[in-house]
Amino acid sequence: MSGVPKKEVSHMKEDPFISIIIPVLNEEEAIPHFVEVVEGILEKSSCRFELLFVNDGSTDSTSDVLHQMEMSDHQIRIIEFTRNFGKEAAVTAGLEHAEGDAVIPMDVDLQDPPELILQFIEKWKEGNDVVYGKRVRRHAEGWLRRVTAGLFYGSFNLLSPFNFPSNVGDYRLMDRSVVEVIKLLPEKSRFMKGLFAWAGFHAVEIPYHRPSRSKGKSKWNYWKLWNFALDGILNFSTIPLRIWTYVGGIIALGSFCYGLVIIGQKLFFGNAVPGYPSLMTCLLFLGGIQLLSLGIIGEYIARIFNEVKNRPLYVIKKKREDN
């Protein structure tokens, strides 16, 4: 949390406009149920709202389902990508096109309980800039997923210069002032949870229990999660680069000391200089260390390469005309 003062409650609109950003990829089964549940909850509030779906290159009937619902529901808006650009690009597109006084990114699978939206809005009206949901229990996920998630959050906070709340996803309410700051960040390799935390502002959490998906299947596997975690750490910390300065210094010092030991053994005890086994062990060890350090440097160079190309983060299809 930063030292930014809270907004005065008296400045809040009586009928604020809320934008819900929903990235979707092959979610034809989940969308109708999502809309029914979320609209039923939002209608209980005093807020106007929009459901902004970002179709991230779906190959099933997601596009048709969305356009059919859009024609009968003026609260639904659609952004369609020309291909799959990834969830981070989809959330970014939603933030750039959302019109609300407050914005809430959430998944279509309803694992983030939509009932929390009303609590988000109440906390926001009290003057908080950010209200995020914190997962207390993750029953729907296996033990390996929970352990690796804990390792990631711990590693990120150890390496990052700012605090990143653990077990917190994209599900949160952000005031328009926060959204405008996020929109100023131009990087192509994006880790949205980190960008949200980097922006600061006054934030409060609401704990919740995360249920299983209501419809469809998760698009995340362990390989995608690994790359996602790697992006998160490397995008917000240079410590992995600095580590190799110290590793190199320690190895050099150790090698110097070991050389003195070998010389002493030869001069004072007449022992033969260690031969092939010790030489190969040292060479393989140092070769592995060098390749590992080059790999870390390569990861940073790859990100620099992607940034300097300055390609757009996503491409939007021209909106099709209804017959």
Side-chain angles (χ1 to χ4, degrees):
M1 298 183 186
S2 69
V4 177
K6 294 185 180 182
K7 304 181 299 299
E8 294 294 333
V9 179
S10 59
H11 293 171
M12 188 72 64
K13 294 181 180 179
E14 292 184 0
D15 60 339
F17 187 45
I18 308 296
S19 294
I20 310 293
I21 299 173
I22 313 104
V24 289
L25 174 61
N26 298 333
E27 297 285 4
E28 58 183 359
E29 297 179 359
I31 291 170
H33 181 57
F34 174 88
V35 172
E36 179 183 359
V37 172
V38 172
E39 286 192 344
I41 289 172
L42 286 168
E43 287 170 358
K44 298 176 183 178
S45 70
S46 60
C47 302
R48 296 173 294 117
F49 64 90
E50 66 173 353
L51 302 181
L52 180 55
F53 286 91
V54 184
N55 184 10
D56 188 19
S58 297
T59 56
D60 63 357
S61 300
T62 293
S63 181
D64 294 328
V65 170
L66 286 173
H67 283 282
Q68 289 174 5
M69 300 190 73
E70 182 188 30
M71 287 188 292
S72 60
D73 190 338
H74 70 279
Q75 293 161 326
I76 292 178
R77 292 173 56 209
I78 304 169
I79 298 172
E80 284 210 65
F81 288 173
T82 56
R83 64 169 176 84
N84 177 244
F85 285 91
K87 183 181 178 182
E88 306 302 279
V91 173
T92 300
L95 293 174
E96 291 177 347
H97 291 82
E99 300 175 354
D101 302 305
V103 176
I104 304 175
M106 67 182 299
D107 294 335
V108 75
D109 55 21
L110 295 179
Q111 284 190 285
D112 298 322
E115 295 81 8
L116 290 184
I117 293 175
L118 299 180
Q119 298 182 49
F120 285 174
I121 294 173
E122 287 304 313
K123 290 292 184 182
W124 173 56
K125 288 182 176 180
E126 292 174 5
N128 298 289
D129 299 299
V130 179
V131 187
Y132 58 81
K134 182 179 177 67
R135 302 162 188 166
V136 178
R137 295 181 183 176
R138 304 168 69 141
H139 294 295
E141 300 175 358
W143 68 269
L144 182 59
R145 180 72 65 86
R146 294 195 298 269
V147 170
T148 52
L151 290 173
F152 165 71
Y153 288 117
S155 300
F156 188 98
N157 284 324
L158 181 65
L159 299 175
S160 173
F162 58 90
N163 185 51
F164 180 73
S166 61
N167 291 315
V168 173
D170 294 333
Y171 190 37
R172 66 190 65 212
L173 180 147
M174 293 175 287
D175 183 75
R176 169 53 57 181
S177 60
V178 181
V179 174
E180 292 302 319
V181 170
I182 301 298
K183 287 167 62 177
L184 294 175
L185 306 178
E187 56 255 51
K188 309 302 179 185
S189 179
R190 301 179 74 81
F191 178 65
M192 296 307 298
K193 299 177 186 63
L195 296 179
F196 294 153
W198 177 91
F201 290 91
H202 191 277
V204 294
E205 67 178 44
I206 295 180
Y208 71 95
H209 300 286
R210 198 171 198 230
S212 302
R213 285 179 63 102
S214 60
K215 301 283 184 179
K217 296 180 180 179
S218 174
K219 308 303 184 296
W220 291 92
N221 55 39
Y222 282 106
W223 178 246
K224 288 182 178 179
L225 288 171
W226 162 252
N227 287 311
F228 187 61
L230 195 62
D231 282 339
I233 292 174
L234 298 185
N235 286 357
F236 287 92
S237 177
T238 59
I239 290 180
L241 285 174
R242 295 180 184 176
I243 285 174
W244 295 106
T245 301
Y246 301 105
V247 170
I250 292 171
I251 291 176
L253 179 61
S255 301
F256 178 75
C257 294
Y258 182 57
L260 293 178
V261 170
I262 292 176
I263 293 173
Q265 287 180 335
K266 181 63 177 177
L267 291 177
F268 297 105
F269 302 103
N271 293 340
V273 176
Y276 180 79
S278 59
L279 178 62
M280 288 302 298
T281 299
C282 291
L283 287 175
L284 292 174
F285 173 72
L286 293 175
I289 290 293
Q290 289 171 344
L291 290 175
L292 183 59
S293 61
L294 285 174
I296 296 293
I297 295 171
E299 289 288 344
Y300 281 94
I301 292 175
R303 282 157 176 76
I304 296 172
F305 175 67
N306 288 329
E307 293 294 331
V308 298
K309 286 187 294 187
N310 200 30
R311 291 175 182 170
L313 190 61
Y314 54 86
V315 180
I316 298 177
K317 283 184 181 179
K318 182 179 178 181
K319 185 176 177 61
R320 66 186 186 184
E321 299 294 334
D322 298 323
N323 296 325

